[in-house]
Amino acid sequence: MENVGIVGIGWYGFSTNVHDLSFREMMFEAAQRAFYDAGGMNPREQVDAFISCQEDFWEGISISDEFAPDPVGGAMRPTMTVAGDGLQGLAHGFMLINSGVADVVVVESHAKPSDILTFPEIVELAMDPVYVREAKIPNYHFIAGLDATKFMHRTGVSREDLAEVVIKNRASGLKTGRAPHASLLSKEDVLSQEAVVYPLTRVDIARPVDGAVVVVLASETFARKFNDTPIWITGIGFATDNSNLELARLGDALYTRKASSLAFSMARLESPLKVNGLFVDDRYSYKELQHVEALGVTNVAEKFREGYFHEGSYLPVNPKGGHLAKGYPLEASGLSLVLDAVEYMREGASSAIVASWRGIPTFTGGVAVMQR
């Protein structure tokens, strides 16, 4: 198996409302930047296949993948759609290259939640119609509340620890140009908030944002034709722990445990403690610690209190602010964490792990191991 390199990456948006561009125009802007980053690549001549990660329900358009090829240079070219998170699309690109089908693959994902008028109702459509929808729970965050409570009881993570995650990530986002929810908060600011669903307050919950991310992948043979210093994906995997809430085991991110087992085995990585940074889904504050634990880090409560996961520490977690600072661009959320990791490694770090989650009410996530 050969390594696959990220030779170009581009983004656009990360705003609560990109009012002047459509989602297709956002895709175009992100693609332009990715191809420029890949040494001025011509997608019409130098890309073998295109992958778009999107979901009809979010787009509000039936067969929305028909809109995918044109904005990214893929018209009349091999194009496929992954109805899932962008990190799953990255895994499909990895497989296309390693199976010999393609040498250069473009993966894109985007979101424009500011166009969605009925966000909670769309989330509800993903739930079981007999056992969950019929309960008529007014707030879908209740699933995160149950999951958080069980996780905290099992691991000893406290409400004060969650507040510290919020403070850390929202402050880290102040250093980036795509973090509309970055801010300086005190522990009192967080703990004084009224709970949306116990133990989570408004500031513990990331908000959806408009955004698009495009990634250019190339085989080991072709990568340095486009970029002298590609970021290598040495292991990648994704998994679904369970298909519905009724049968799922709350309080643990089993999907991340399964996906990381695949990715670590592929990358021959013995422990997550051997990399320079973790970029994990934190759309709820407790999810950051839950995903770190599922990657194989033990005693997360104690390590967090000792400062392990803060910037400048032994193992920084979400040093670019994560979703709490940036917001989460729906199916592009995984690629937004990949974008953070690529920038972090271009600044000097030699390795990183990205762990994505597709969000409520799914139990699906992906893990990628990356090295310079």
Side-chain angles (χ1 to χ4, degrees):
M1 189 186 72
E2 72 175 315
N3 292 325
V4 173
I6 295 175
V7 298
I9 192 163
W11 62 275
Y12 191 84
F14 288 89
S15 165
T16 54
N17 187 354
V18 178
H19 59 85
D20 53 343
L21 295 184
S22 69
F23 76 86
R24 297 178 70 195
E25 291 167 327
M26 287 168 46
M27 292 166 65
F28 173 79
E29 293 291 343
Q32 288 276 82
R33 288 158 173 75
F35 299 142
Y36 177 78
D37 192 45
M41 168 184 287
N42 181 345
R44 301 288 298 155
E45 298 177 355
Q46 295 176 296
V47 176
D48 299 315
F50 297 81
I51 298 173
S52 178
C53 306
Q54 54 180 297
E55 168 61 61
D56 283 5
F57 279 120
W58 292 132
E59 306 293 338
I61 303 170
S62 179
I63 320 178
S64 58
D65 57 334
E66 291 181 343
F67 294 88
D70 284 351
V72 296
M76 305 297 288
R77 308 292 302 283
T79 305
M80 61 180 284
T81 305
V82 173
D85 179 75
L87 200 63
Q88 293 173 255
L90 208 67
H92 282 75
F94 187 96
M95 289 188 282
L96 281 178
I97 291 173
N98 263 289
S99 61
V101 172
D103 284 307
V104 181
V105 177
V106 167
V107 182
E108 85 79 28
S109 191
H110 60 272
K112 203 150 191 303
S114 65
D115 284 348
I116 300 173
L117 300 178
T118 54
F119 196 98
E121 287 79 4
I122 293 175
V123 174
E124 188 178 293
L125 285 172
M127 299 181 186
D128 183 279
V130 176
Y131 296 106
V132 183
R133 270 190 243 166
E134 281 302 304
K136 300 191 182 305
I137 303 296
N139 185 341
Y140 65 84
H141 296 303
F142 84 96
I143 298 174
L146 292 173
D147 192 33
T149 302
K150 192 165 182 183
F151 170 69
M152 293 165 69
H153 178 74
R154 181 173 63 79
T155 60
V157 168
S158 67
R159 180 70 195 93
E160 286 72 21
D161 294 329
L162 301 189
E164 189 60 38
V165 170
V166 174
I167 294 165
K168 173 179 74 71
N169 289 4
R170 289 187 185 263
S172 295
L174 291 170
K175 296 174 296 185
T176 77
R178 54 174 182 278
H181 303 296
S183 59
L184 288 177
L185 297 173
S186 67
K187 190 170 284 189
E188 184 181 359
D189 292 333
V190 179
L191 295 176
S192 63
Q193 297 282 322
E194 186 177 345
V196 175
V197 172
Y198 180 82
L200 305 169
T201 70
R202 182 175 57 84
V203 294
D204 286 272
I205 303 172
R207 301 180 191 178
V209 289
D210 296 351
V213 183
V214 173
V215 180
V216 184
L217 302 176
S219 65
E220 216 163 346
T221 306
F222 279 74
R224 286 199 167 83
K225 291 184 179 181
F226 304 109
N227 192 317
D228 291 335
T229 55
I231 303 295
W232 300 108
I233 302 171
T234 56
I236 192 164
F238 61 91
T240 294
D241 162 43
N242 214 307
S243 61
N244 56 45
L245 175 63
E246 305 89 282
L247 301 175
R249 192 175 84 184
L250 295 178
D252 198 352
L254 293 179
Y255 49 90
T256 301
R257 292 187 188 277
K258 294 176 179 178
S260 62
S261 175
L262 293 168
F264 291 2
S265 173
M266 195 180 297
R268 298 180 181 176
L269 180 68
E270 297 174 359
S271 166
L273 298 176
K274 293 184 178 295
V275 302
N276 301 130
L278 302 181
F279 296 81
V280 304
D281 193 295
D282 64 330
R283 67 187 75 189
Y284 296 98
S285 55
Y286 78 96
K287 273 292 182 185
E288 172 165 303
L289 298 178
Q290 189 185 66
H291 286 143
V292 168
E293 188 210 30
L295 288 173
V297 178
T298 58
N299 302 318
V300 288
E302 291 79 2
K303 284 188 171 68
F304 183 65
R305 291 165 195 160
E306 292 170 6
Y308 261 62
F309 309 143
H310 289 67
E311 187 175 5
S313 69
Y314 181 76
L315 185 65
V317 178
N318 288 326
K320 299 287 185 181
H323 296 321
L324 284 171
K326 293 181 305 179
Y328 64 96
L330 303 180
E331 305 293 23
S333 297
L335 290 188
S336 78
L337 295 173
V338 170
L339 173 62
D340 286 349
V342 168
E343 287 186 351
Y344 182 67
M345 295 171 71
R346 286 178 175 177
E347 291 167 2
S350 60
S351 59
I353 294 172
V354 175
S356 71
W357 173 47
R358 207 183 172 201
I360 281 179
T362 80
F363 298 90
T364 298
V367 173
V369 181
M370 300 161 63
Q371 295 181 351
R372 289 182 72 191

